[in-house]
Amino acid sequence: MSEKVTIYDIAEKLNITAATVSRALNNNPKIKEATRELVIKTAAAMNYKQNKLALALKSGRSNNIGVIVPRIDSNFFASVIRGIEEELYPHGYQVIICQTHESIKRENENLHTLVDAQVDGIMMSVTGISDENDSAFRNVLEKNVPLIFFDRSKHIDGVSSVTINDFKGGYLATKHLIHEGCRHIAHFSGDQSLDIFKNRFLGYKQALLDSGLQFNEEYVIHVKSSVEAGKEAASALLALQTPPDAIFSSSDFAALGAIQELQNRNISIPNEFCVAGFSNEPFTKFMELSITSVDQSPLEMGKMSARVFLEQVDKTDTIKIEKKVVLAPELHIRKSSTRTNF
């Protein structure tokens, strides 16, 4: 392999100083335009590649943004990342994606790796609310790196967030099921240590109370976001002495599992049993029995997270204004829950 071309090689070829080459490549206004063009042309001909890390260390900016998500094989997180990238690319930023796989240890490693890579900002959906990673978050803030939470967030002073109104989403979905005549509504909840799942549960509970319906703890089941988990949870509910007649699920995948279990038992949907999910995954509208679901607006969430970051880096002073952006949810009503006027 041939050795990498350096600014000293370019300087020797043009019979100028390495400092002049460096200034020309970095668009220093003290360099004449003719000299700058000659250096750039020669550098290209010699296949010179600038050391991005060295430039980042020198300028304090890398034009790279770190994005941390639980997993990328999810339409929701993929759409958020797309929104971030679409908003930041025109401003010259590139996105570095990390996955936690719901591991706090990996989340901690991701944070340290991105800070060491001199990223200009970090946007992330947290794994949990454990205090284990507080030192990692403090390290990010002490390095003056903007940190923005999206979807799943923690309450940390100085950290902005972009979320959806999960309480309202849970309330809308449950109210809709009540409007369709359901009176024994169960809830598939995620980990309520995370605000998104706690607030969806609270919205569900408040809708019941506002409608004069009794809240039944037996009807609330902690369910992972998977089809199999949804099947198992639905089976457990149907075994109750008074089974429910509807499910509001915090996960579309669990909602799909519940529907499959109900269909296997020849329970008519929506005539005998209604189901609503959360996230508006693409499959929900393409199924023969389309699934009612709350849209989380992931593309807009990604774009808004990027805008919050850009507002912070555009500040001329070092004071970062903490912002809490809450997007409005939208309920998409489909066949799985519509008994009237469909």
Side-chain angles (χ1 to χ4, degrees):
M1 293 179 63
S2 59
E3 294 184 1
K4 288 185 178 180
V5 175
T6 69
I7 59 173
Y8 298 99
D9 298 321
I10 299 171
E12 183 179 354
K13 185 173 182 65
L14 296 178
N15 197 28
I16 58 178
T17 67
T20 299
V21 172
S22 177
R23 293 190 186 102
L25 292 172
N26 289 288
N27 296 317
N28 190 303
K30 294 182 180 180
I31 301 299
K32 293 180 181 179
E33 182 62 23
T35 302
R36 189 183 71 84
E37 290 180 358
L38 178 61
V39 169
I40 291 174
K41 182 179 179 181
T42 304
M46 296 177 70
N47 199 29
Y48 169 74
K49 304 293 183 185
Q50 283 185 300
N51 187 324
K52 298 294 185 182
L53 181 58
L55 287 173
L57 290 170
K58 183 178 180 180
S59 67
R61 297 188 61 147
S62 65
N63 286 340
N64 290 326
I65 301 298
V67 178
I68 304 175
V69 295
R71 62 188 189 280
I72 60 173
D73 60 340
S74 152
N75 178 72
F76 173 77
F77 288 118
S79 296
V80 172
I81 293 169
R82 174 187 164 190
I84 292 171
E85 197 274 341
E86 286 183 359
E87 195 72 21
L88 292 183
Y89 184 77
H91 295 272
Y93 290 99
Q94 300 292 333
V95 173
I96 300 173
I97 303 167
C98 300
Q99 300 181 85
T100 64
H101 296 285
E102 305 290 2
S103 164
I104 291 178
K105 179 177 181 291
R106 288 187 68 153
E107 180 180 82
N108 181 66
E109 292 170 350
N110 289 339
L111 286 165
H112 284 293
T113 298
L114 290 173
V115 169
D116 289 345
Q118 302 287 318
V119 295
D120 294 337
I122 296 174
M123 301 174 204
M124 65 180 296
S125 184
V126 302
T127 295
I129 62 167
S130 167
D131 295 334
E132 290 182 49
N133 277 356
D134 281 1
S135 61
F137 290 124
R138 283 197 299 272
N139 180 53
V140 174
L141 298 175
E142 287 169 1
K143 298 289 186 181
N144 207 31
V145 176
L147 179 61
I148 295 105
F149 293 142
F150 61 83
D151 187 42
R152 305 180 185 181
S153 64
K154 288 186 67 169
H155 301 289
I156 299 177
D157 291 339
V159 178
S160 296
S161 64
V162 180
T163 57
I164 192 172
N165 190 331
D166 289 286
F167 177 92
K168 186 176 181 181
Y171 190 92
L172 289 173
T174 307
K175 267 289 193 180
H176 162 68
L177 294 171
I178 294 169
H179 178 265
E180 294 300 314
C182 303
R183 292 297 178 266
H184 304 284
I185 303 170
H187 177 49
F188 287 174
S189 176
D191 180 1
Q192 289 192 27
S193 68
L194 290 166
D195 285 347
I196 60 170
F197 297 119
K198 181 179 180 181
N199 289 331
R200 290 172 199 178
F201 161 72
L202 292 175
Y204 150 80
K205 185 176 181 179
Q206 193 62 51
L208 294 177
L209 298 177
D210 288 351
S211 302
L213 298 180
Q214 185 176 357
F215 167 68
N216 186 345
E217 288 187 5
E218 276 192 318
Y219 286 168
V220 180
I221 302 181
H222 177 266
V223 180
K224 291 184 178 180
S225 180
S226 73
V227 174
E228 283 304 314
K231 287 181 180 180
E232 292 173 7
S235 180
L237 288 171
L238 293 171
L240 294 175
Q241 186 174 357
T242 304
D245 57 6
I247 294 170
F248 161 53
S249 172
S250 284
S251 157
D252 280 337
F253 290 98
L256 175 58
I259 287 173
Q260 290 180 356
E261 182 64 25
L262 291 164
Q263 289 175 330
N264 288 339
R265 295 172 180 244
N266 295 316
I267 296 174
S268 176
I269 306 170
N271 296 327
E272 297 178 68
F273 205 110
C274 292
V275 179
F278 208 107
S279 197
N280 199 33
E281 294 283 347
F283 69 81
T284 57
K285 61 183 175 181
F286 295 125
M287 295 174 58
E288 183 177 352
L289 178 66
S290 56
I291 303 175
T292 293
S293 186
V294 179
D295 192 349
Q296 292 180 271
S297 304
L299 189 65
E300 179 60 25
M301 185 176 288
K303 288 178 178 291
M304 185 58 68
S305 300
R307 290 172 196 153
V308 170
F309 162 75
L310 290 171
E311 285 182 14
Q312 292 193 353
V313 295
D314 284 345
K315 297 289 181 184
T316 55
D317 52 36
T318 58
I319 299 174
K320 301 292 190 296
I321 299 175
E322 180 182 325
K323 296 191 71 172
K324 302 295 182 186
V325 180
V326 182
L327 304 175
E330 182 180 355
L331 180 65
H332 291 265
I333 299 173
R334 302 190 179 106
K335 292 180 182 180
S336 69
S337 67
T338 308
R339 291 172 174 172
T340 58
N341 301 321
F342 191 83

